[in-house]
Amino acid sequence: MFALIALLAQLTVIFIHRAKNRPRSRPDSYTLHTGLCLLGIAAGWIAIGRPEITWNDGPLVLISGLLITVEAADAAEKLGAPRWADKAVCLLCGAAAATWMSSGWIPWA
């Protein structure tokens, strides 16, 4: 699944960031990243054919597509990625997280 690959990549970036930098005492505002993640989830949901959202899939999509993706985008930004990389992480990983709702391994098959 695309979501599993994206989730592993996000966790890798987060762990690298945490290993290099200690967590800050006061977290930054993630408003832009949160909005872009939600937009990415909606775009991914539409791209895979708008499957029915169930209680089994909803929390998994929100955890992997919102909480972890926002942290990964912040880590990418702090690790010195290009200016557009954090926004791309939000949109692409949010869309990949929407594939948790698909019934098969490849959403378009």
Side-chain angles (χ1 to χ4, degrees), residues 3-78:
L4 186 58
I5 295 167
L7 183 63
L8 292 175
Q10 292 170 32
L11 290 174
T12 302
V13 170
I14 292 169
F15 290 144
I16 290 171
H17 175 256
R18 296 255 171 121
K20 290 183 86 172
N21 302 317
R22 294 184 181 210
R24 297 173 300 275
S25 60
R26 183 173 169 210
D28 294 336
S29 174
Y30 299 129
T31 308
L32 176 63
H33 291 154
T34 302
L36 289 174
C37 288
L38 291 172
L39 183 65
I41 291 170
W45 178 69
I46 290 170
I48 62 173
R50 298 183 305 184
E52 182 179 343
I53 301 171
T54 63
W55 284 105
N56 296 333
D57 301 330
L60 185 60
V61 170
L62 289 177
I63 289 170
S64 67
L66 187 62
L67 298 177
I68 295 174
T69 301
V70 166
E71 183 70 26
D74 181 58
E77 182 181 21
K78 300 291 189 269

Coordinates of all heavy atoms in Angstrom, one line a residue, residues 3-78:
A3 N 0.1 3.9 1.5 CA 0.0 4.5 2.9 C 1.1 3.9 3.8 O 1.7 4.6 4.6 CB -1.3 4.3 3.5
L4 N 1.4 2.6 3.7 CA 2.4 2.0 4.5 C 3.8 2.5 4.2 O 4.6 2.8 5.0 CB 2.3 0.5 4.4 CG 3.2 -0.3 5.3 CD1 2.9 0.0 6.8 CD2 3.0 -1.8 5.1
I5 N 4.1 2.6 2.9 CA 5.4 3.1 2.5 C 5.5 4.6 2.9 O 6.6 5.0 3.4 CB 5.5 3.0 0.9 CG1 5.5 1.5 0.5 CG2 6.7 3.7 0.4 CD1 5.3 1.3 -0.9
A6 N 4.5 5.4 2.7 CA 4.6 6.8 3.2 C 4.8 6.9 4.7 O 5.5 7.7 5.2 CB 3.3 7.6 2.7
L7 N 4.1 6.0 5.4 CA 4.2 6.0 6.9 C 5.6 5.7 7.4 O 6.1 6.3 8.2 CB 3.2 5.1 7.5 CG 3.1 5.0 9.0 CD1 2.7 6.4 9.6 CD2 2.1 3.9 9.4
L8 N 6.2 4.7 6.7 CA 7.6 4.3 7.1 C 8.6 5.4 6.8 O 9.5 5.7 7.5 CB 7.9 3.0 6.4 CG 7.2 1.8 6.9 CD1 7.6 0.6 6.0 CD2 7.5 1.5 8.3
A9 N 8.4 6.1 5.6 CA 9.2 7.2 5.3 C 9.1 8.4 6.2 O 10.1 9.0 6.6 CB 8.9 7.7 3.8
Q10 N 7.9 8.7 6.6 CA 7.6 9.7 7.6 C 8.3 9.4 8.9 O 8.9 10.3 9.5 CB 6.1 9.9 7.8 CG 5.4 10.5 6.6 CD 3.9 10.4 6.8 OE1 3.4 10.5 8.0 NE2 3.2 10.2 5.8
L11 N 8.1 8.2 9.4 CA 8.7 7.9 10.7 C 10.2 7.9 10.7 O 10.9 8.3 11.6 CB 8.2 6.5 11.1 CG 6.8 6.4 11.5 CD1 6.4 4.9 11.8 CD2 6.5 7.2 12.7
T12 N 10.8 7.6 9.5 CA 12.3 7.7 9.4 C 12.7 9.1 9.5 O 13.7 9.4 10.2 CB 12.7 7.1 8.0 OG1 12.3 5.7 7.9 CG2 14.2 7.1 7.8
V13 N 12.1 10.0 8.8 CA 12.4 11.4 8.9 C 12.3 12.0 10.3 O 13.1 12.7 10.8 CB 11.6 12.3 7.9 CG1 11.8 13.8 8.1 CG2 11.9 11.9 6.5
I14 N 11.2 11.6 11.0 CA 11.0 12.0 12.4 C 12.1 11.5 13.3 O 12.6 12.2 14.1 CB 9.6 11.6 12.8 CG1 8.5 12.3 12.1 CG2 9.4 11.8 14.3 CD1 7.1 11.8 12.3
F15 N 12.4 10.2 13.1 CA 13.5 9.7 14.0 C 14.8 10.3 13.8 O 15.6 10.6 14.7 CB 13.6 8.2 13.9 CG 12.4 7.4 14.4 CD1 11.9 6.3 13.8 CD2 11.7 7.9 15.5 CE1 10.8 5.6 14.3 CE2 10.6 7.2 16.1 CZ 10.2 6.1 15.4
I16 N 15.1 10.6 12.5 CA 16.4 11.3 12.2 C 16.4 12.7 12.8 O 17.4 13.1 13.4 CB 16.6 11.3 10.7 CG1 16.9 9.9 10.2 CG2 17.8 12.3 10.3 CD1 17.0 9.9 8.6
H17 N 15.3 13.4 12.7 CA 15.2 14.7 13.3 C 15.3 14.7 14.8 O 16.0 15.5 15.4 CB 13.9 15.4 12.9 CG 13.6 16.7 13.5 ND1 12.8 16.9 14.5 CD2 14.2 17.9 13.2 CE1 12.8 18.1 14.9 NE2 13.6 18.8 14.1
R18 N 14.7 13.8 15.4 CA 14.7 13.7 16.9 C 16.1 13.3 17.3 O 16.5 13.7 18.4 CB 13.7 12.7 17.4 CG 12.3 13.1 17.1 CD 11.6 13.6 18.3 NE 10.3 14.2 18.0 CZ 9.2 13.8 18.5 NH1 9.2 12.8 19.3 NH2 8.1 14.4 18.2
A19 N 16.8 12.5 16.5 CA 18.2 12.1 16.9 C 19.1 13.3 16.8 O 20.1 13.4 17.6 CB 18.6 10.9 16.1
K20 N 18.9 14.1 15.9 CA 19.8 15.2 15.7 C 19.5 16.4 16.6 O 20.4 17.2 17.0 CB 19.8 15.7 14.2 CG 20.4 14.7 13.2 CD 20.4 15.3 11.9 CE 21.6 16.1 11.7 NZ 21.8 16.5 10.3
N21 N 18.2 16.6 16.9 CA 17.8 17.8 17.6 C 16.9 17.3 18.8 O 16.1 16.5 18.7 CB 16.9 18.7 16.8 CG 17.7 19.2 15.5 OD1 18.9 19.5 15.6 ND2 17.0 19.2 14.4
R22 N 17.1 18.0 19.9 CA 16.3 17.7 21.1 C 14.9 18.4 20.9 O 14.9 19.5 20.3 CB 16.9 18.2 22.3 CG 18.2 17.4 22.6 CD 18.8 17.9 23.9 NE 20.0 17.1 24.1 CZ 20.4 16.8 25.3 NH1 19.8 17.2 26.4 NH2 21.5 16.1 25.4
P23 N 13.9 17.8 21.4 CA 12.6 18.4 21.2 C 12.5 19.8 21.9 O 13.1 20.0 23.0 CB 11.6 17.4 21.9 CG 12.3 16.1 21.9 CD 13.8 16.4 22.0
R24 N 11.9 20.7 21.3 CA 11.7 22.1 21.8 C 10.8 22.1 23.0 O 9.8 21.3 23.0 CB 11.3 23.0 20.7 CG 12.3 23.1 19.6 CD 11.7 23.9 18.4 NE 10.5 23.3 17.9 CZ 10.4 22.4 17.0 NH1 11.6 21.9 16.5 NH2 9.3 21.9 16.5
S25 N 11.0 23.0 23.9 CA 10.1 23.1 25.0 C 8.7 23.7 24.6 O 7.7 23.4 25.2 CB 10.7 23.9 26.1 OG 11.0 25.2 25.7
R26 N 8.7 24.5 23.6 CA 7.5 25.2 23.2 C 7.3 24.8 21.7 O 8.1 25.3 20.9 CB 7.6 26.7 23.3 CG 6.3 27.4 22.9 CD 6.4 28.8 23.3 NE 5.3 29.5 22.6 CZ 5.3 30.7 22.2 NH1 6.3 31.4 22.4 NH2 4.2 31.2 21.7
P27 N 6.3 24.0 21.4 CA 6.2 23.6 20.0 C 5.7 24.7 19.1 O 5.1 25.7 19.5 CB 5.1 22.5 20.0 CG 4.4 22.8 21.3 CD 5.3 23.4 22.2
D28 N 6.1 24.6 17.8 CA 5.7 25.6 16.8 C 4.2 25.4 16.4 O 3.6 24.4 16.7 CB 6.5 25.5 15.5 CG 8.0 25.8 15.8 OD1 8.3 26.6 16.8 OD2 8.9 25.4 15.0
S29 N 3.7 26.4 15.8 CA 2.3 26.3 15.3 C 2.3 25.5 14.0 O 3.1 25.8 13.1 CB 1.7 27.7 15.1 OG 0.5 27.6 14.5
Y30 N 1.4 24.6 13.9 CA 1.3 23.7 12.7 C 0.0 24.0 11.9 O -0.5 23.1 11.3 CB 1.3 22.3 13.2 CG 2.6 21.8 13.9 CD1 2.5 21.2 15.1 CD2 3.8 22.1 13.3 CE1 3.6 20.7 15.7 CE2 5.0 21.6 14.0 CZ 4.8 21.0 15.2 OH 6.0 20.6 15.8
T31 N -0.5 25.2 11.9 CA -1.7 25.5 11.3 C -1.7 25.3 9.8 O -2.5 24.6 9.2 CB -2.1 27.0 11.6 OG1 -2.1 27.2 13.0 CG2 -3.5 27.2 11.0
L32 N -0.6 25.8 9.1 CA -0.5 25.6 7.7 C -0.3 24.1 7.3 O -0.9 23.6 6.4 CB 0.7 26.4 7.1 CG 1.0 26.2 5.6 CD1 -0.2 26.7 4.8 CD2 2.3 26.9 5.3
H33 N 0.5 23.4 8.1 CA 0.8 22.0 7.8 C -0.5 21.2 8.0 O -0.8 20.3 7.2 CB 1.9 21.5 8.7 CG 3.2 22.0 8.3 ND1 4.2 22.1 9.3 CD2 3.7 22.5 7.2 CE1 5.3 22.6 8.7 NE2 5.0 22.8 7.4
T34 N -1.3 21.5 9.0 CA -2.5 20.8 9.3 C -3.5 21.0 8.2 O -4.1 20.0 7.7 CB -3.1 21.3 10.6 OG1 -2.2 21.1 11.7 CG2 -4.4 20.5 10.9
G35 N -3.7 22.2 7.7 CA -4.6 22.5 6.6 C -4.1 21.8 5.3 O -5.0 21.2 4.6
L36 N -2.8 21.8 5.0 CA -2.4 21.1 3.8 C -2.5 19.6 3.9 O -2.8 18.9 2.9 CB -0.9 21.5 3.6 CG -0.6 22.9 3.1 CD1 0.9 23.1 3.0 CD2 -1.3 23.1 1.7
C37 N -2.4 19.0 5.1 CA -2.6 17.6 5.3 C -4.0 17.2 5.1 O -4.3 16.2 4.4 CB -2.1 17.1 6.7 SG -0.4 17.1 6.9
L38 N -4.9 18.0 5.6 CA -6.4 17.7 5.4 C -6.7 17.9 3.9 O -7.5 17.1 3.4 CB -7.2 18.7 6.2 CG -7.1 18.4 7.7 CD1 -7.9 19.5 8.5 CD2 -7.7 17.1 8.1
L39 N -6.1 18.8 3.2 CA -6.3 19.0 1.8 C -5.8 17.8 1.0 O -6.4 17.3 0.1 CB -5.7 20.3 1.3 CG -5.9 20.6 -0.2 CD1 -7.3 20.9 -0.5 CD2 -5.0 21.8 -0.5
G40 N -4.6 17.3 1.4 CA -4.1 16.1 0.8 C -4.9 14.9 1.0 O -5.1 14.1 0.1
I41 N -5.4 14.7 2.2 CA -6.3 13.6 2.5 C -7.6 13.6 1.7 O -8.0 12.6 1.1 CB -6.7 13.5 4.0 CG1 -5.4 13.2 4.9 CG2 -7.8 12.5 4.3 CD1 -5.6 13.3 6.4
A42 N -8.2 14.8 1.6 CA -9.4 15.0 0.7 C -9.0 14.7 -0.7 O -9.8 14.0 -1.4 CB -9.9 16.4 0.9
A43 N -7.9 15.2 -1.2 CA -7.5 14.9 -2.6 C -7.3 13.4 -2.9 O -7.7 12.9 -3.9 CB -6.3 15.7 -3.0
G44 N -6.6 12.8 -1.9 CA -6.4 11.3 -2.1 C -7.7 10.5 -2.0 O -7.9 9.6 -2.7
W45 N -8.6 10.9 -1.2 CA -9.9 10.3 -1.1 C -10.7 10.4 -2.4 O -11.3 9.4 -2.8 CB -10.7 10.9 0.1 CG -12.1 10.4 0.3 CD1 -12.4 9.1 0.8 CD2 -13.3 11.1 0.1 NE1 -13.8 9.0 0.8 CE2 -14.3 10.2 0.4 CE3 -13.6 12.3 -0.4 CZ2 -15.7 10.6 0.3 CZ3 -14.9 12.7 -0.5 CH2 -15.9 11.8 -0.1
I46 N -10.6 11.6 -3.0 CA -11.3 11.8 -4.3 C -10.6 11.0 -5.4 O -11.2 10.3 -6.2 CB -11.3 13.3 -4.6 CG1 -12.3 14.0 -3.7 CG2 -11.7 13.5 -6.1 CD1 -12.3 15.5 -3.8
A47 N -9.3 10.9 -5.3 CA -8.5 10.2 -6.4 C -8.7 8.7 -6.3 O -8.7 8.1 -7.4 CB -7.0 10.5 -6.2
I48 N -9.0 8.1 -5.2 CA -9.2 6.7 -5.1 C -10.7 6.3 -5.3 O -11.0 5.1 -5.1 CB -8.6 6.0 -3.9 CG1 -9.3 6.6 -2.6 CG2 -7.1 6.2 -3.8 CD1 -8.9 5.9 -1.3
G49 N -11.5 7.3 -5.7 CA -12.9 6.9 -6.0 C -13.9 7.2 -4.9 O -15.0 6.6 -4.9
R50 N -13.5 8.0 -3.9 CA -14.4 8.3 -2.8 C -15.1 7.1 -2.1 O -16.3 7.0 -2.1 CB -15.5 9.3 -3.2 CG -14.9 10.6 -3.7 CD -15.9 11.6 -4.1 NE -16.9 11.0 -5.1 CZ -17.9 11.7 -5.6 NH1 -18.0 12.9 -5.3 NH2 -18.7 11.1 -6.5
P51 N -14.2 6.2 -1.5 CA -14.8 5.0 -0.9 C -15.5 5.5 0.4 O -15.3 6.6 0.9 CB -13.6 4.2 -0.5 CG -12.5 5.1 -0.4 CD -12.8 6.2 -1.4
E52 N -16.4 4.6 0.9 CA -17.1 4.9 2.1 C -16.1 5.0 3.3 O -15.3 4.1 3.4 CB -18.2 3.8 2.4 CG -19.0 4.1 3.6 CD -20.0 3.0 3.8 OE1 -20.3 2.2 2.9 OE2 -20.5 2.9 5.0
I53 N -16.3 6.0 4.1 CA -15.4 6.1 5.3 C -16.1 5.4 6.5 O -17.2 5.6 6.8 CB -15.3 7.6 5.7 CG1 -14.7 8.4 4.5 CG2 -14.4 7.8 6.9 CD1 -14.6 9.9 4.6
T54 N -15.3 4.4 7.0 CA -15.8 3.6 8.2 C -15.1 4.0 9.4 O -14.0 4.6 9.4 CB -15.7 2.1 7.9 OG1 -14.3 1.8 7.7 CG2 -16.4 1.8 6.6
W55 N -15.6 3.5 10.5 CA -14.9 3.7 11.8 C -13.6 3.0 11.9 O -12.7 3.3 12.7 CB -15.8 3.3 13.0 CG -16.9 4.3 13.2 CD1 -18.2 4.1 12.9 CD2 -16.8 5.5 13.8 NE1 -18.9 5.2 13.2 CE2 -18.1 6.1 13.8 CE3 -15.8 6.3 14.4 CZ2 -18.3 7.4 14.3 CZ3 -16.0 7.5 14.9 CH2 -17.3 8.1 14.9
N56 N -13.4 1.9 11.1 CA -12.1 1.2 11.1 C -11.1 2.0 10.4 O -9.9 2.0 10.8 CB -12.3 -0.1 10.4 CG -13.2 -1.0 11.1 OD1 -13.4 -0.9 12.3 ND2 -13.9 -1.9 10.4
D57 N -11.4 2.7 9.4 CA -10.4 3.4 8.5 C -10.2 4.9 9.0 O -9.1 5.4 8.8 CB -10.9 3.5 7.1 CG -11.0 2.1 6.5 OD1 -10.3 1.2 7.0 OD2 -11.9 1.9 5.6
G58 N -11.2 5.6 9.4 CA -11.1 7.0 9.8 C -10.0 7.3 10.7 O -9.1 8.2 10.4
P59 N -9.9 6.7 11.9 CA -8.8 7.0 12.8 C -7.4 6.7 12.3 O -6.5 7.5 12.5 CB -9.1 6.2 14.1 CG -10.6 5.9 14.0 CD -10.9 5.8 12.5
L60 N -7.3 5.6 11.5 CA -6.0 5.3 10.9 C -5.6 6.4 9.9 O -4.4 6.8 9.9 CB -6.1 3.9 10.3 CG -4.8 3.4 9.7 CD1 -3.8 3.2 10.8 CD2 -5.1 2.0 9.1
V61 N -6.5 6.9 9.1 CA -6.2 7.9 8.2 C -5.8 9.2 8.9 O -4.8 9.8 8.5 CB -7.4 8.1 7.2 CG1 -7.2 9.4 6.4 CG2 -7.6 6.9 6.3
L62 N -6.5 9.5 9.9 CA -6.2 10.8 10.6 C -4.9 10.7 11.4 O -4.1 11.7 11.4 CB -7.3 11.1 11.6 CG -8.6 11.6 10.9 CD1 -9.7 11.9 12.0 CD2 -8.4 12.8 10.1
I63 N -4.6 9.5 12.0 CA -3.3 9.4 12.7 C -2.1 9.4 11.7 O -1.2 10.2 11.9 CB -3.3 8.1 13.5 CG1 -4.3 8.3 14.7 CG2 -1.9 7.8 14.0 CD1 -4.5 7.0 15.5
S64 N -2.2 8.6 10.7 CA -1.1 8.6 9.8 C -1.0 9.8 8.8 O 0.0 10.3 8.4 CB -1.1 7.3 9.0 OG -2.2 7.2 8.1
G65 N -2.2 10.3 8.4 CA -2.2 11.4 7.4 C -2.2 12.7 8.0 O -1.9 13.7 7.3
L66 N -2.5 12.9 9.3 CA -2.5 14.2 9.9 C -1.4 14.3 11.0 O -0.5 15.1 10.8 CB -3.9 14.5 10.5 CG -4.2 15.9 11.0 CD1 -4.0 16.9 9.9 CD2 -5.5 16.0 11.6
L67 N -1.5 13.5 12.0 CA -0.6 13.7 13.2 C 0.8 13.4 12.8 O 1.7 14.2 13.0 CB -1.0 12.8 14.3 CG -2.4 13.1 14.9 CD1 -2.7 12.1 16.0 CD2 -2.4 14.5 15.5
I68 N 1.0 12.2 12.2 CA 2.4 11.9 11.8 C 2.9 12.7 10.7 O 4.1 13.1 10.6 CB 2.5 10.4 11.5 CG1 2.1 9.6 12.8 CG2 3.8 9.9 11.0 CD1 2.0 8.1 12.6
T69 N 2.1 13.0 9.7 CA 2.5 13.8 8.6 C 2.9 15.2 9.0 O 3.9 15.8 8.5 CB 1.4 13.8 7.5 OG1 1.1 12.5 7.1 CG2 1.8 14.6 6.3
V70 N 2.2 15.8 9.9 CA 2.5 17.2 10.3 C 3.9 17.2 11.0 O 4.7 18.0 10.8 CB 1.4 17.7 11.3 CG1 1.9 18.9 12.0 CG2 0.2 18.1 10.5
E71 N 4.1 16.1 11.8 CA 5.4 16.0 12.5 C 6.5 15.8 11.5 O 7.6 16.3 11.6 CB 5.4 14.9 13.5 CG 6.6 14.7 14.3 CD 6.9 15.8 15.3 OE1 5.9 16.5 15.7 OE2 8.1 16.1 15.6
A72 N 6.3 15.0 10.5 CA 7.3 14.7 9.4 C 7.6 15.9 8.6 O 8.7 16.2 8.2 CB 6.8 13.6 8.5
A73 N 6.6 16.7 8.3 CA 6.8 18.0 7.6 C 7.6 19.0 8.4 O 8.5 19.6 7.8 CB 5.4 18.6 7.2
D74 N 7.3 19.1 9.7 CA 8.1 19.9 10.5 C 9.6 19.4 10.6 O 10.5 20.2 10.5 CB 7.5 20.0 11.9 CG 8.3 20.9 12.9 OD1 8.4 22.1 12.5 OD2 8.8 20.4 13.9
A75 N 9.8 18.1 10.7 CA 11.1 17.6 10.7 C 11.9 17.8 9.4 O 13.0 18.2 9.4 CB 11.0 16.1 11.0
A76 N 11.2 17.7 8.3 CA 11.8 17.9 7.0 C 12.2 19.4 6.9 O 13.3 19.7 6.4 CB 10.8 17.6 5.9
E77 N 11.4 20.3 7.4 CA 11.7 21.7 7.4 C 12.9 22.0 8.3 O 13.8 22.7 7.9 CB 10.5 22.5 7.9 CG 10.7 24.0 7.8 CD 9.5 24.7 8.3 OE1 8.6 24.1 9.1 OE2 9.4 25.9 8.0
K78 N 13.0 21.4 9.4 CA 14.1 21.7 10.4 C 15.4 21.0 10.0 O 16.4 21.5 10.4 CB 13.7 21.2 11.8 CG 12.5 21.9 12.4 CD 12.7 23.3 12.7 CE 11.5 23.9 13.5 NZ 10.5 24.5 12.7

